[in-house]
């Protein structure tokens, strides 16, 4: 009967709404709760000094452990947070935890933090970070801000972001370098302090001559531009050897260590 087909249709509509919007809305309110309850954690992955063979710093990464859905990847919830203003709250949380950890680590150790465009557009964001580092007596050069290539759509705006950060003394890193659409143009237009070369290049460098050639070229440019170089996703010793030969400053990846809890960081020798 038409009644049954109506019900079927309603079910389908409900399911489409659920997939498209409702579940996102629910997830958003759950993320808000998670932030308040401390279910969004910060972990720290070692950044290894390749030439000196020691830990130089860490990258702070967010983790959401959801009571029923289990572990939710930052790839998923950071994007969700960025659509709302929750990214400001997640960001403030990460900065607080990283700065508290920095205060307990030797002065030569730094922490990298991923920032979103919403944070950089927020006039009060850098002031809050500055307050926090001042109250802990931390030097700003120990906090490196990572921005991804894909965030840079407008060079004028990006130059303003860099100036605001670098005037305070925060080094700025180009994250996932090489995967955006304007690698070379960015190098000309923006004076990054650090380039973090995306893991796709590291994964392929010992398999593909073309990847290796591009890496050699990036390494040469970075040296001339006096920009530090970090390799992301270093997993095997063979990659490390090649990176050392290429003159990379730092490496990050499972070969050196997975993201770890603050308590485990404090057990390390520096
Ligand atoms: P990202 O900034 O490029 O961070 C590096 C990612 O590579 C991390 O994924 C890390 O766990 C992973 N990784 C590290 N070493 C290896 C390796 O040897 N092999 C492989 N296959 N992967 C490795 P994760 O933690 O899942 O984070 C994904 C992305 O989410 C980050 O990419 C970053 O863009 C974003 N993100 C994470 N936390 C935050 C945050 O607090 N704020 C913002 N704005 N973004 C964040
Ligand atoms: Mg990053
Ligand atoms: Mg990256
Ligand atoms: Mg990435």
């Amino acid at each position: 009967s038409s009644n049954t087909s109506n019900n079927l249709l309603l079910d389908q509509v409900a399911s489409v709404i659920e997939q498209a919007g409702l579940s996102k809305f629910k997830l958003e309110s759950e993320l808000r709760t998670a932030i308040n309850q401390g279910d969004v954690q910060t972990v720290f992955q070692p950044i290894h000094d390749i030439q000196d063979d020691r830990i130089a710093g860490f990258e702070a990464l967010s983790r959401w452990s959801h009571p029923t859905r289990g572990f939710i990847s930052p790839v998923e919830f950071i994007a969700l947070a960025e659509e709302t203003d929750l990214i400001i709250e997640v960001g403030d949380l990460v900065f607080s935890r990283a700065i508290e950890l920095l205060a307990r680590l030797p002065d030569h150790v730094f922490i990298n933090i991923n920032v979103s465009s919403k944070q950089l557009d927020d006039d009060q964001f850098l002031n809050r970070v500055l307050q926090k580092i001042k109250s802990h007596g931390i030097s700003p050069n120990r906090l490196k801000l990572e921005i991804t290539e894909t965030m840079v759509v407008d060079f004028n705006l990006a130059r303003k972001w860099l100036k605001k950060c670098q005037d305070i003394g925060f080094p700025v890193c180009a994250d996932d370098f090489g995967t955006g659409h304007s690698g070379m143009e960015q190098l000309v237009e923006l004076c990054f302090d650090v380039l973090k070369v995306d893991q796709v290049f590291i994964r392929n460098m010992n398999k593909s001559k073309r990847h290796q050639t591009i890496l050699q070229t990036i390494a040469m440019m970075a040296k001339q531009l006096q920009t530090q170089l970090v390799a992301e996703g270093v997993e095997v010793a063979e990659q490390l050897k090649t990176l050392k030969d290429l003159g990379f400053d730092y490496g990050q990846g499972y070969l050196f260590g997975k993201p770890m809890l603050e308590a485990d960081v404090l057990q390390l020798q520096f």
Side-chain angles (χ1 to χ4, degrees):
S1 75
S2 80
N3 216 349
T4 324
S5 65
N6 271 348
N7 283 341
L8 260 175
L9 190 64
L10 277 179
D11 279 352
Q12 280 168 5
V13 168
S15 143
V16 168
I17 291 174
E18 160 89 13
Q19 279 162 25
L22 262 185
S23 69
K24 204 160 105 186
F25 180 75
K26 188 158 175 255
L27 212 58
E28 186 191 320
S29 82
E30 285 178 345
L31 179 57
R32 197 178 297 280
T33 308
I35 292 167
N36 295 330
Q37 289 182 347
D39 288 339
V40 176
Q41 287 157 338
T42 310
V43 288
F44 301 89
Q45 185 178 30
I47 296 176
H48 196 87
D49 185 323
I50 289 181
Q51 305 303 328
D52 285 353
D53 193 26
R54 63 185 174 105
I55 297 175
F58 298 87
E59 178 175 7
L61 295 159
S62 293
R63 296 284 177 267
W64 179 6
S65 46
H66 187 280
T68 55
R69 288 174 221 242
F71 168 77
I72 301 179
S73 161
V75 179
E76 230 176 288
F77 79 84
I78 292 295
L80 176 74
E82 279 171 344
E83 288 177 32
T84 65
D85 282 340
L86 285 175
I87 191 63
I88 301 289
E89 288 175 50
V90 174
D92 284 353
L93 210 80
V94 175
F95 272 94
S96 295
R97 288 171 182 160
I99 289 164
E100 279 157 25
L101 179 56
L102 275 177
R104 303 179 67 183
L105 294 173
D107 280 344
H108 63 267
V109 180
F110 58 80
I111 294 183
N112 284 21
I113 301 188
N114 297 286
V115 296
S116 301
S117 48
K118 272 214 172 130
Q119 289 171 281
L120 292 164
D121 289 335
D122 172 358
D123 286 335
Q124 287 312 308
F125 159 66
L126 284 176
N127 282 338
R128 288 195 298 275
V129 177
L130 204 54
Q131 282 305 312
K132 281 175 197 155
I133 64 164
K134 276 188 181 154
S135 72
H136 283 85
I138 305 278
S139 164
N141 65 5
R142 298 180 64 196
L143 212 55
K144 305 192 190 193
L145 310 188
E146 297 193 3
I147 72 173
T148 60
E149 264 193 315
T150 48
M151 275 167 66
V152 179
V153 279
D154 172 353
F155 283 125
N156 287 324
L157 181 62
R159 260 193 296 270
K160 275 181 203 149
W161 288 340
L162 260 68
K163 186 170 175 3
K164 275 204 285 187
C165 299
Q166 289 170 334
D167 279 353
I168 298 174
F170 298 130
V172 183
C173 317
D175 198 0
D176 303 343
F177 182 76
T179 57
H181 300 294
S182 53
M184 293 303 136
E185 208 183 351
Q186 255 191 61
L187 280 180
V188 178
E189 296 285 336
L190 305 172
C191 298
F192 286 105
D193 301 283
V194 185
L195 301 182
K196 292 191 79 177
V197 179
D198 192 79
Q199 42 181 280
V200 70
F201 294 96
I202 314 309
R203 198 179 305 135
N204 292 305
M205 78 182 161
N206 289 322
K207 299 181 217 152
S208 140
K209 184 73 191 134
R210 290 177 72 86
H211 280 86
Q212 192 158 352
T213 303
I214 296 293
L215 271 186
Q216 267 164 357
T217 311
I218 292 173
M220 262 172 56
M221 285 191 308
K223 200 167 226 130
Q224 295 295 319
L225 294 169
Q226 290 176 302
T227 305
Q228 288 187 333
L229 266 191
V230 184
E232 298 195 281
V234 185
E235 293 182 350
V236 295
E238 190 194 8
Q239 294 166 340
L240 172 59
K241 193 189 172 304
T242 309
L243 292 166
K244 193 168 184 177
D245 292 344
L246 288 173
F248 269 67
D249 303 285
Y250 303 108
Q252 182 180 342
Y254 300 156
L255 179 66
F256 308 113
K258 295 210 164 165
M260 53 179 98
L261 296 170
E262 183 192 53
D264 297 319
V265 172
L266 291 168
Q267 299 297 312
L268 297 169
Q269 299 289 318
F270 295 95

